[in-house]
Amino acid sequence: MAEAKTKYDRQLRIWGEQGQAALEKASICLLNCGPTGSETLKNLVLGGIGSITVIDGNKVEVADLGNNFMVDESSVGQSKAKSVCAFLQELNDAVKAKFIEEYPEALIETNPSFFSQFTLVVATQLVEDSIVKLDKICREANVMLIFARSYGLTGFVRISVKEHTVIESKPDHFLDDLRLNNPWPELRSFAETIDLNVPDPVVHKHIPYVVILVKMADEWAKTHCGSLPSTREEKKEFKEQIRDRMRAIDEDNYREAMEASFKVFASRGISSNLQRILNDSCVDVDSNSHDFWVMVAALKEFIADAGEVPLEGSIPDMTSSTELYVNLQKIYQAKADADCFVIEQHVRKILKKIGRDSDSITRTMIRTFCKNARKLTVCRYRPLEDEFNNPVQPELQKYLTDEDYGIAVGFYILLRAVDRFAANYNSFPGQFDGEMDEDISRLKTTAVGLLSDLGCNGSTLTEDLVNEMCRYGAAELHAVAAFIGGIASQEVIKLITRQFVPMSGTFIFNGIDHKSQLLSL
């Protein structure tokens, strides 16, 4: 493990040993190893994914040398899957790699059970018909699935799983869990032992801002019928009262208290996002329930008793004497440990009630859950067939009429239209010389027909965008493929580690304007 820690040092700082362990256990299947697929897998192999299986029935052609760094001149005429697999293996010999020389479309048709052995399938450059079939297969087998495609200067990435639960969502901005608006007895008692009017200037400038705010909030409540500042004027007055306690301009602790005073005004209770999770039907757990929902059921019982989620237990850096900071840290940690113990008892009781081993969820997992209870996330994705046949009409109409989304939704429609075009004419628009004008006309007609099928009669796409799509000729440009592959591999890591929130909707890359947008359809 010491060697792995050194090898993966930087990423371990992001998703930790638990996340890395999940990656090293994961088995990934790649369908089509062109530049988009190869770039996706390259990132995962370098990250230490457990094993990869590359599926592609093509041979390496001279044209592949210009857009795929995983093949070279010696690979021409050989199996593309074999060549790419060999190059990827060289990047990280700890990854188990194998290849199957077969066309993914044939595998989808003839051997659907094949995909059930994998943790996640990355399907690249598939047409719509194969996408829909594979989506059904993976959903039935509970295998995570990511579609990725690059097409000229555009491309898309789409996740498809029934449900994905995230404990460690790690949002960029989230209010510290300090409970300044509702301190528990031990924190209040600790604050009462500290005198804000202490004569020693050194001691005065090293009182933690948490203590300052708890004491001053109590003083305010005593003179305001037990209420904390709520109006704009009251909040301003509260900050001025903190300022008045400053004795010198170098008292950073009081400046921190003024900057953090909004934490006293923060509303108590449960966020709307967490409330939706607590009200989810999956909280009624049984023996087949995922561990996440068992812990949510325990959390619901805890909140019913305590009125709040378990305390996280950590405090931010602040100006303070070492002694006061350490003591404050211990108080927060003790409260978090006590809350976690109660949650654990609820979890054990629920597990026993549903007929499972009461120790089947580890204490470490429960502790992680408690620490992140305010930030839980549940993601659910529509089946592709539903989205393709019945997109959310208000959203689609909004995108079609919104100038900011015009090109993104145009590419979304055209990426589907080119598949219809290929099914009708046995080639993609612009793929062969001398047919450009005719292909432009055909693609425009196909796109209008698709929009009509989606209930958008009268909607059209710009001539320039249709012309541009034909100009691409279904080419995979390496720069675009590398970008799409980077996005796809990032989402793979989120899904496997169950850390960070995977994107919802269809990610569309617009290489013309260098913009990326998510369409929720």
Side-chain angles (χ1 to χ4, degrees):
M1 189 63 191
E3 183 184 347
K5 282 186 176 181
T6 304
K7 188 175 187 178
Y8 303 123
D9 176 64
R10 285 189 293 178
Q11 62 202 49
L12 282 168
R13 298 166 192 259
I14 300 172
W15 52 70
E17 291 184 16
Q18 191 172 340
Q20 187 63 34
L23 284 175
E24 291 175 8
K25 290 177 186 174
S27 174
I28 303 294
C29 175
L30 172 69
L31 303 184
N32 289 319
C33 57
T36 306
S38 296
E39 289 292 333
T40 303
L41 221 48
K42 176 203 72 179
N43 298 329
L44 298 174
V45 166
L46 289 171
I49 206 75
S51 65
I52 59 170
T53 300
V54 181
I55 314 291
D56 198 313
N58 292 294
K59 304 291 185 184
V60 177
E61 299 176 0
V62 173
D64 295 320
L65 305 181
N67 67 1
N68 194 338
F69 289 145
M70 301 300 150
V71 295
D72 60 18
E73 291 182 4
S74 65
S75 307
V76 175
Q78 295 184 18
S79 161
K80 187 185 285 189
K82 179 180 180 181
S83 299
V84 168
C85 195
F87 271 83
L88 290 170
Q89 183 80 76
E90 288 180 14
L91 296 177
N92 190 344
D93 57 11
V95 175
K96 298 174 184 175
K98 66 178 183 178
F99 69 92
I100 297 175
E101 192 175 355
E102 188 170 349
Y103 291 103
E105 294 83 359
L107 206 56
I108 292 168
E109 290 286 349
T110 62
N111 191 10
S113 61
F114 170 82
F115 299 99
S116 62
Q117 64 185 291
F118 300 104
T119 309
L120 185 147
V121 175
V122 179
T124 66
Q125 306 305 107
L126 291 183
V127 296
E128 187 170 310
D129 182 56
S130 296
I131 285 174
V132 169
K133 290 175 181 175
L134 181 61
D135 187 34
K136 289 179 180 177
I137 292 167
C138 289
R139 280 176 177 267
E140 191 173 322
N142 285 318
V143 173
M144 295 182 286
L145 177 61
I146 290 184
F147 294 103
R149 186 178 189 179
S150 60
Y151 194 105
L153 291 177
T154 186
F156 79 88
V157 177
R158 169 67 149 81
I159 296 169
S160 187
V161 293
K162 286 181 184 176
E163 177 183 278
H164 180 72
T165 56
V166 186
I167 295 174
E168 298 180 78
S169 60
K170 301 184 179 181
D172 290 333
H173 305 288
F174 215 83
L175 199 62
D176 295 316
D177 189 14
L178 299 177
R179 306 287 166 93
L180 301 180
N181 55 2
N182 188 27
W184 63 98
E186 290 80 5
L187 177 59
R188 196 183 297 276
S189 297
F190 176 71
E192 288 172 356
T193 65
I194 298 170
D195 183 8
L196 295 186
N197 297 313
V198 62
D200 188 330
V202 176
V203 175
H204 190 264
K205 68 163 62 174
H206 286 91
I207 299 172
Y209 81 74
V210 166
V211 173
I212 295 171
L213 289 174
V214 168
K215 291 183 73 70
M216 296 203 66
D218 276 349
E219 289 179 11
W220 177 280
K222 287 174 184 176
T223 59
H224 291 80
C225 303
S227 299
L228 293 173
S230 57
T231 66
R232 186 175 181 180
E233 290 72 23
E234 286 178 340
K235 293 173 183 178
K236 184 177 180 182
E237 182 184 347
F238 183 73
K239 289 184 75 170
E240 288 301 320
Q241 288 182 5
I242 298 172
R243 190 190 302 276
D244 291 343
R245 293 293 186 107
M246 289 182 70
R247 296 176 185 171
I249 59 173
D250 64 343
E251 290 191 321
D252 291 335
N253 56 334
Y254 277 87
R255 190 173 293 106
E256 289 169 0
M258 284 188 287
E259 291 172 353
S261 62
F262 71 93
K263 297 175 183 177
V264 173
F265 321 138
S267 57
R268 299 181 188 177
I270 311 302
S271 70
S272 58
N273 177 60
L274 181 56
Q275 193 62 59
R276 278 194 299 273
I277 295 174
L278 294 172
N279 293 339
D280 196 287
S281 60
C282 291
V283 177
D284 297 326
V285 294
D286 57 33
S287 58
N288 297 316
S289 294
H290 191 280
D291 289 353
F292 174 88
W293 290 111
V294 173
M295 290 187 285
V296 170
L299 175 64
K300 189 171 185 177
E301 292 182 1
F302 178 90
I303 292 173
D305 295 335
E308 289 191 290
V309 297
L311 188 73
E312 289 182 19
S314 58
I315 58 175
D317 291 336
M318 63 189 76
T319 302
S320 170
S321 66
T322 301
E323 181 184 1
L324 287 179
Y325 186 83
V326 169
N327 288 338
L328 191 62
Q329 203 170 38
K330 287 179 179 177
I331 289 168
Y332 273 86
Q333 190 58 57
K335 168 65 172 167
D337 289 344
D339 287 353
C340 186
F341 177 79
V342 176
I343 289 274
E344 184 178 351
Q345 300 312 303
H346 283 299
V347 169
R348 305 294 177 217
K349 183 187 72 175
I350 291 169
L351 286 170
K352 187 175 181 180
K353 182 180 177 182
I354 62 177
R356 287 173 53 182
D357 180 358
S358 61
D359 293 322
S360 60
I361 300 178
T362 65
R363 181 169 294 170
T364 301
M365 177 60 72
I366 296 171
R367 185 174 293 278
T368 300
F369 180 87
C370 291
K371 188 173 182 179
N372 293 279
R374 295 188 303 148
K375 307 163 191 172
L376 304 177
T377 303
V378 176
C379 305
R380 293 185 174 112
Y381 299 85
R382 293 184 72 193
L384 266 297
E385 188 173 31
D386 286 359
E387 178 182 315
F388 289 162
N389 294 335
N390 301 293
V392 181
Q393 276 298 322
E395 290 296 310
L396 181 56
Q397 294 287 358
K398 182 188 78 173
Y399 294 141
L400 286 167
T401 55
D402 189 331
E403 188 176 329
D404 289 339
Y405 282 89
I407 293 182
V409 74
F411 275 138
Y412 174 84
I413 296 297
L414 286 169
L415 282 165
R416 294 189 57 194
V418 295
D419 288 346
R420 283 196 178 189
F421 184 105
N424 291 331
Y425 303 108
N426 297 315
S427 67
F428 288 100
Q431 197 166 10
F432 299 111
D433 295 335
E435 300 178 4
M436 184 64 76
D437 291 341
E438 187 178 8
D439 283 357
I440 289 173
S441 176
R442 286 172 170 175
L443 180 59
K444 185 176 180 180
T445 301
T446 304
V448 170
L450 176 58
L451 284 167
S452 178
D453 291 347
L454 297 177
C456 300
N457 294 313
S459 298
T460 58
L461 303 178
T462 65
E463 294 277 354
D464 287 346
L465 207 57
V466 175
N467 293 349
E468 190 73 2
M469 206 68 178
C470 287
R471 193 172 69 86
Y472 297 155
E476 279 188 87
L477 305 179
H478 180 264
V480 176
F483 180 77
I484 294 295
I487 297 295
S489 56
Q490 165 188 285
E491 299 307 307
V492 170
I493 289 170
K494 290 179 186 178
L495 290 171
I496 291 175
T497 62
R498 291 188 176 271
Q499 296 182 29
F500 302 95
V501 180
M503 61 189 180
S504 58
T506 302
F507 172 91
I508 300 289
F509 174 61
N510 166 10
I512 299 173
D513 297 323
H514 302 106
K515 288 174 68 175
S516 301
Q517 290 170 301
L518 277 172
L519 304 180
S520 299
L521 296 168

